[in-house]
Amino acid sequence: VSRALPIAAVSLVWPAGRLDGNPIDGPDEDAFTLAVEAIERLPSPAPRRAIARLRPFGGLPPRLVGDLAEAVGCPAAHVDGRRPLAEVWEALADRPSRGREDSEIMVLVCPSPAFPEPSQEANSAALAILRASDGTRRVMGPAPGPDDTDPSAVPPSALHQLEIDPGETPLFRRDLLGAPGEPAGSAMWALSFWSALTDRSGKPLVLLAGPSGAEALFGLTGAAPAAFGEIPPRPDGFPWKDRTAWLARPSEQPPTLSEGAYVPRPTYVAQRPSRWRLAAVRCSNCGRITFPVRSHCRHCGRTETLEPIELPHRDLRVEAMTVVHQGAQPTEFDRQAAATGSYAVVVAEAASDARITLQLADAVPSSVRIGDRVDLVLRRLIPMEGEWRYGLKAIPSPSAARRTGGGP
Amino acid sequence: VGRRRAAVIGAGHTRFGALSEGPRELLRSAIDQAVESVDRGLERLAIEEAFLGTLGFSGWQLGNASAIVAEEARVPGLPVVRVENACASGGFALREGIRAIESGQRDVVLVAGLEKMTDVPSSRRRYWLGVSGDTEWERMAGLTFAGVYGLMASAHQKEHGTPPEALAEVAVKNHEHGFRNPNAHLRKRITREQALASPLVADPLRLYDCCPVSDGAAALLLAGEEIGHRFTDTPVPVAGAGAGSDALALQDRASLTRLAATRRAAEEAFKRAGLERSAIDFLEVHDCFTIAELMALEDLGFAPPGGAAELELSGATRLGGRLPVNPDGGLKAKGHPIGATGTSQAYEAFVQLRGAAGERQVAGARSVLAHNVGGSGASATVTIFSTR
């Protein structure tokens, strides 16, 4: 079923200005970190390395596909980052009867239109689908459960333009991570997919925005996607599809200069196993751990006795903590400091001899004290050399409402 | 013990603060004062080598800055070595000068410390301070030095129950001392209430827990002790010097509340000096943040771990107390022009041991220990001066 859409319906979902509604909780999330988080939340029936393929769909640039595989410790298969939604849908419906026997993780990545250009704009989402070799399918998004469905968030005028009866109460994914009623931008299609996959009601689902604008309007019934219409050209002639270019058009923003936290890309890349997965080495001579990975044991100096290990990401103990207030941050963090006022940094112990310095995320600084336990999540750190630098941050450990510390 | 010792025969010091003079003028002024302070006069051409401690004054003359020492000292062709160990650049430059004398290779050397920091935008200044610490983990986590010392202070408080009042007392004391020092950057007295109510910078550190960013220079003239009397009746001998290092990043150190670099430097300096801690009349310690002074007293062996707070709160560290600490105001009030801090501490030792420190004189002082730290403790020097 295909028909031309009124321009007003498209404009509703493709705002003339930047999307101000920030569906992301905190300035350090984007499509990449959300994809990692979605994968980390998957119930894992087998070790990551036993999973044959990681198949990213959506708008993840090819360069970041390998990075994603590295971040979650799983081999990657490159899939064109700009596949039409219909193909993604078919991939989801794909059954092992086609001859596939291995487990596979598919990730739908819905980046901000400007991604991966360093930008404060978030509007990203991702979800991960684990298809096990027995044919079972598990879907995981970066935010909790499908109970957030909020039909009231659908702009009634949009439904009218789409000739959908509002009384039919279509299933509509409200922005899971931000304020109700805000357009979720690129995030919306992943969230919609998630809804469709987890919904059993069979009601139509209206997707009000897509990653490129071309997919701006889709209806999903839980079985297959159906385009409601072809999108008319923009009055200003700018292609709808190229919202990325539109957002990336020259602006007044000065380039980000390195003012204190500069680590050259080759060094950053070489460190990523330690920075992302807490890769360390254990010395069989002295039994102690060296983190980050070095070519010799930091304690006894031996080089030939090192075995690679990964330190746990859960229940690290906070050993020291400070809150960096406005003006005490390296310049790269100026925008973060301006947005959040201050942020906390902790030194946490992952194992005996292995400490790591991390920002605290998703929590007010006063909620964490020395002695508390934290878990680690991959987040954006700072823009550098035209890309985002990623690293681990600490979040209060949900398993440890048990506070081991006390004191002043 | 048979080995040749070095002695300070002259010293010069500019005002510290946000100054209109550029680096050349500051350097020239400190060197000229040092030369003029030599009681029986010093022929400049007798200076055989010079050592310059500087971080590179905000990067606009990063490389080869040593050349301007020869120019401003007006000793054409003088060999000059630039020494860089962040905030301990001056202390390490001094140590190189001492070694040149002690080894017998030189008879008279110049040691200068210099920084010009206030003439660049604050973003650039933060950069130049920031890159003197661990970039890969600490900066990337959003920390500057205030944050790193905030982490250490939080761990110190947790481990020892260090009260905020002890941090405030360090600030109040050093401001009181700095008020009496005409060269000090911040010449104002503050109250404990003011310190405790000042804005937070990096918990638990507040504005008054942090030293200022300053311009300034300090220069020393060293000679072999046995020829020191050619220049002055009151040379100030270097009894012993020591140095040490530790991991660049706090996370890699054995302790978050003690500086191993300081402990090793102190051990070496006391051993070389052949002195007991009880012989020391006052201390010049590296108080870039108030917590650093507490940790210094503990690491140098003048208080047990966790005991510095009590020592400070007892008043013993004030001028007139049992063990005055930072009678010149310390980095906290005198100011902290990075590369000049180590030589400024030695200047204070020189002036105090000659009884010429005026309103801030430590009565009867004969032995002083100076302690200079690089960054958050990745390097440190300890130098003991003694006329005993």
Side-chain angles (χ1 to χ4, degrees):
Chain A
V1 185
S2 181
R3 65 175 99 74
L5 290 169
I7 188 81
V10 183
S11 298
L12 263 174
V13 300
W14 207 86
R18 279 172 181 262
L19 293 168
D20 292 327
N22 183 351
I24 302 306
D25 181 19
D28 56 347
E29 289 281 26
D30 65 14
F32 184 75
T33 59
L34 288 169
V36 172
E37 179 70 12
I39 294 168
E40 295 287 352
R41 282 172 182 250
L42 279 174
S44 190
R48 284 283 151 63
R49 290 175 207 292
I51 292 172
R53 276 173 303 277
L54 177 71
R55 294 211 288 159
F57 292 97
L60 199 63
R63 187 165 55 77
L64 285 177
V65 172
D67 291 357
L68 181 62
E70 181 183 342
V72 300
C74 178
H78 169 62
V79 174
D80 178 13
R82 293 273 174 199
R83 288 201 138 182
L85 284 189
E87 278 185 52
V88 177
W89 189 252
E90 281 167 20
L92 283 174
D94 192 12
R95 295 292 168 192
S97 59
R98 280 200 182 179
R100 285 215 178 82
E101 288 169 11
D102 301 329
S103 299
E104 178 176 57
I105 295 176
M106 285 175 287
V107 201
L108 304 186
V109 183
C110 316
S112 143
F115 183 82
E117 290 301 313
S119 151
Q120 280 303 91
E121 188 181 15
N123 295 321
S124 299
L127 74 160
I129 300 123
L130 171 70
R131 197 179 50 197
S133 49
D134 62 5
T136 57
R137 204 169 57 175
R138 306 292 292 271
V139 182
M140 194 58 66
D147 297 338
D148 289 350
T149 304
D150 179 9
S152 68
V154 182
S157 54
L159 296 180
H160 180 69
Q161 299 279 4
L162 291 166
E163 299 176 21
I164 288 174
D165 177 8
E168 206 176 319
T169 320
L171 182 65
F172 182 89
R173 288 304 302 182
R174 165 169 85 82
D175 164 19
L176 286 173
L177 303 165
E182 295 281 359
S186 313
M188 195 48 81
W189 76 270
L191 304 177
S192 302
F193 259 125
W194 188 13
S195 289
L197 288 163
T198 54
D199 179 59
R200 300 275 182 267
S201 74
K203 287 177 182 169
L205 180 145
V206 180
L207 166 57
L208 285 175
S212 71
E215 294 90 10
L217 289 160
F218 267 92
L220 300 175
T221 64
F228 276 103
E230 288 170 13
I231 297 170
R234 269 176 68 93
D236 62 6
F238 206 97
W240 287 113
K241 194 166 185 169
D242 212 357
R243 186 157 179 260
T244 302
W246 185 77
L247 282 172
R249 70 198 187 285
S251 72
E252 306 298 313
Q253 284 261 327
T256 305
L257 299 174
S258 173
E259 297 284 8
Y262 176 62
V263 174
R265 178 170 169 79
T267 301
Y268 160 73
V269 170
Q271 280 178 343
R272 284 195 311 211
S274 290
R275 199 178 275 290
W276 289 0
R277 300 198 58 76
L278 296 190
V281 286
R282 188 197 303 276
C283 176
S284 61
N285 179 50
C286 69
R288 297 178 70 181
I289 292 171
T290 295
F291 171 86
V293 171
R294 300 221 169 120
S295 57
H296 65 274
C297 172
R298 210 153 51 77
H299 311 285
C300 74
R302 298 281 281 271
T303 57
E304 73 287 2
T305 53
L306 305 180
E307 68 176 279
I309 57 170
E310 278 186 13
L311 302 172
H313 282 53
R314 301 279 174 264
D315 285 345
L316 284 76
R317 183 181 180 277
V318 174
E319 293 202 326
M321 173 168 167
T322 187
V323 181
V324 176
H325 293 268
Q326 192 72 254
Q329 73 282 1
T331 318
E332 282 88 349
F333 294 84
D334 281 358
R335 288 192 301 188
Q336 182 184 354
T340 61
S342 61
Y343 52 83
V345 179
V346 302
V347 173
E349 189 187 65
S352 182
D353 300 325
R355 295 198 206 94
I356 180 166
T357 311
L358 308 147
Q359 271 195 26
L360 184 68
D362 299 355
V364 291
S366 59
S367 65
V368 172
R369 295 195 299 181
I370 293 176
D372 285 0
R373 301 284 167 167
V374 290
D375 295 345
L376 306 188
V377 291
L378 191 75
R379 292 292 171 86
R380 298 200 294 201
L381 299 179
I382 47 171
M384 179 68 65
E385 295 178 335
E387 65 177 10
W388 279 100
R389 294 289 165 82
Y390 297 95
L392 295 173
K393 293 192 179 183
I395 59 173
S397 182
S399 57
R402 42 187 165 108
R403 170 167 286 166
T404 53
Chain B
V1 222
R3 84 184 148 85
R4 189 190 203 204
R5 297 205 305 183
V8 186
I9 57 168
H13 200 291
T14 68
R15 263 177 55 229
F16 280 3
L19 307 175
S20 57
E21 295 94 330
R24 283 179 180 271
E25 289 75 22
L26 292 170
L27 195 55
R28 184 178 187 124
S29 168
I31 295 171
D32 282 355
Q33 285 183 47
V35 171
E36 284 157 20
S37 75
V38 178
D39 299 324
R40 298 203 178 96
L42 173 77
E43 169 54 49
R44 284 168 186 263
L45 293 178
I47 301 171
E48 297 166 289
E49 185 162 356
F51 301 88
L52 171 67
T54 185
L55 182 58
F57 26 109
S58 307
W60 55 266
Q61 180 61 62
L62 180 57
N64 245 338
S66 344
I68 66 170
V69 176
E71 290 180 58
E72 299 307 323
R74 281 158 285 160
V75 185
L78 180 70
V80 188
V81 178
R82 175 264 186 93
V83 177
E84 192 283 304
N85 261 354
C87 312
S89 298
F92 275 89
L94 170 61
R95 186 161 171 274
E96 290 310 303
I98 293 166
R99 275 142 59 105
I101 301 283
E102 286 184 345
S103 70
Q105 196 179 30
R106 302 296 189 198
D107 286 330
V108 179
V109 303
L110 167 69
V111 178
L114 166 70
E115 218 67 62
K116 178 73 188 173
M117 303 175 71
T118 65
D119 55 352
V120 295
S122 78
S123 59
R124 196 175 173 89
R125 192 156 58 234
R126 273 185 281 161
Y127 171 65
W128 279 98
L129 290 169
V131 293
S132 299
D134 175 77
T135 309
E136 295 175 5
W137 298 92
E138 291 173 359
R139 290 316 148 262
M140 288 282 275
L143 291 173
T144 54
F145 277 117
V148 179
Y149 275 95
L151 287 171
M152 291 194 272
S154 76
H156 200 273
Q157 289 189 331
K158 179 73 179 177
E159 191 174 329
H160 300 298
T162 309
E165 289 74 18
L167 298 177
E169 169 59 22
V170 172
V172 170
K173 166 186 68 81
N174 289 349
H175 271 275
E176 171 60 38
H177 292 176
F179 184 74
R180 309 182 191 195
N181 181 352
N183 286 329
H185 186 167
L186 303 175
R187 295 195 71 190
K188 67 169 192 175
R189 294 180 164 111
I190 62 165
T191 64
R192 188 177 289 183
E193 291 68 32
Q194 275 177 297
L196 290 171
S198 63
L200 280 164
V201 174
D203 295 36
L205 302 178
R206 295 173 179 276
L207 185 62
Y208 278 123
D209 290 307
C210 310
C211 71
V213 166
S214 319
D215 305 327
L220 311 162
L221 288 160
L222 306 184
E225 187 181 22
E226 79 287 355
I227 60 170
H229 288 275
R230 288 188 211 160
F231 304 103
T232 172
D233 288 336
T234 51
V236 171
V238 177
S245 74
D246 200 353
L248 182 58
L250 185 63
Q251 67 183 32
D252 293 337
R253 299 191 190 150
S255 168
L256 301 182
T257 56
R258 307 204 69 182
L259 298 189
T262 294
R263 292 160 67 190
R264 178 172 175 145
E267 193 181 332
E268 184 186 358
F270 276 109
K271 191 174 165 197
R272 286 179 178 274
L275 290 173
E276 297 297 321
R277 282 169 176 73
S278 57
I280 302 296
D281 298 307
F282 76 95
L283 305 174
E284 280 285 302
V285 306
H286 195 92
D287 60 326
C288 49
F289 298 91
T290 51
I291 184 66
E293 179 166 319
L294 299 185
M295 290 166 66
L297 294 179
E298 294 167 10
D299 291 329
L300 292 168
F302 291 90
E310 191 186 334
L311 188 66
E312 295 277 7
L313 290 168
S314 75
T317 57
R318 289 185 174 232
L319 272 170
R322 178 167 57 80
L323 181 70
V325 177
N326 290 332
D328 59 358
L331 285 60
K332 176 69 203 74
K334 183 184 58 178
H336 182 29
I338 307 292
T341 285
T343 50
S344 168
Q345 293 174 330
Y347 169 89
E348 186 67 9
F350 179 74
V351 175
Q352 288 275 0
L353 297 193
R354 288 159 50 114
E359 283 184 59
R360 64 181 194 280
Q361 180 66 45
V362 177
R366 293 174 63 194
S367 298
V368 52
L369 178 151
H371 163 245
N372 194 196
V373 175
S376 61
S379 57
T381 60
V382 169
T383 314
I384 298 170
F385 304 86
S386 181
T387 54
R388 281 176 201 272

